[in-house]
Amino acid sequence: MKTIVALQAAVTAASLDIEPSAAELDAIDREMPLIRAEVELLDAQIMTIDRPANELDTRRVRRARNRVLAARRDLTNRAGTVQSGGAA
């Protein structure tokens, strides 16, 4: 039986030195509205975990869910126009 500890350490050490490329940073910037909307939805859901949801909580979660859906729609529409050459 062979151990792979030495190989794993080499892989881990090499992977920590890598910085994100400009294209990866641009992709994160494009997805940031969706990321923020998902964090807002998660915050709204966390607030209702330990207590019964009242009407205000229900509205807050519903609005946050709608923001996530809208952000996904906008991101998908932007990705579709970029891939087709920008002609809409």
Side-chain angles (χ1 to χ4, degrees):
M1 181 164 80
K2 286 173 71 174
T3 59
I4 60 168
V5 176
L7 295 176
Q8 183 180 8
V11 170
T12 305
S15 66
L16 295 177
D17 296 334
I18 298 174
E19 295 289 327
S21 68
E24 291 170 334
L25 291 174
D26 288 340
I28 292 170
D29 283 341
R30 281 191 304 271
E31 294 176 9
M32 192 53 69
L34 176 60
I35 294 168
R36 285 190 186 116
E38 288 175 338
V39 168
E40 194 174 315
L41 174 59
L42 186 59
D43 287 342
Q45 290 171 335
I46 287 171
M47 288 178 15
T48 62
I49 285 177
D50 61 345
R51 61 187 167 126
N54 57 26
E55 186 178 341
L56 181 62
D57 293 333
T58 305
R59 283 189 212 163
R60 185 177 290 125
V61 170
R62 185 177 62 236
R63 288 180 184 153
R65 199 173 286 138
N66 288 338
R67 285 188 206 104
V68 168
L69 292 174
R72 285 181 184 166
R73 180 197 61 218
D74 294 342
L75 184 62
T76 302
N77 287 341
R78 273 188 270 136
T81 57
V82 169
Q83 290 175 355
S84 64

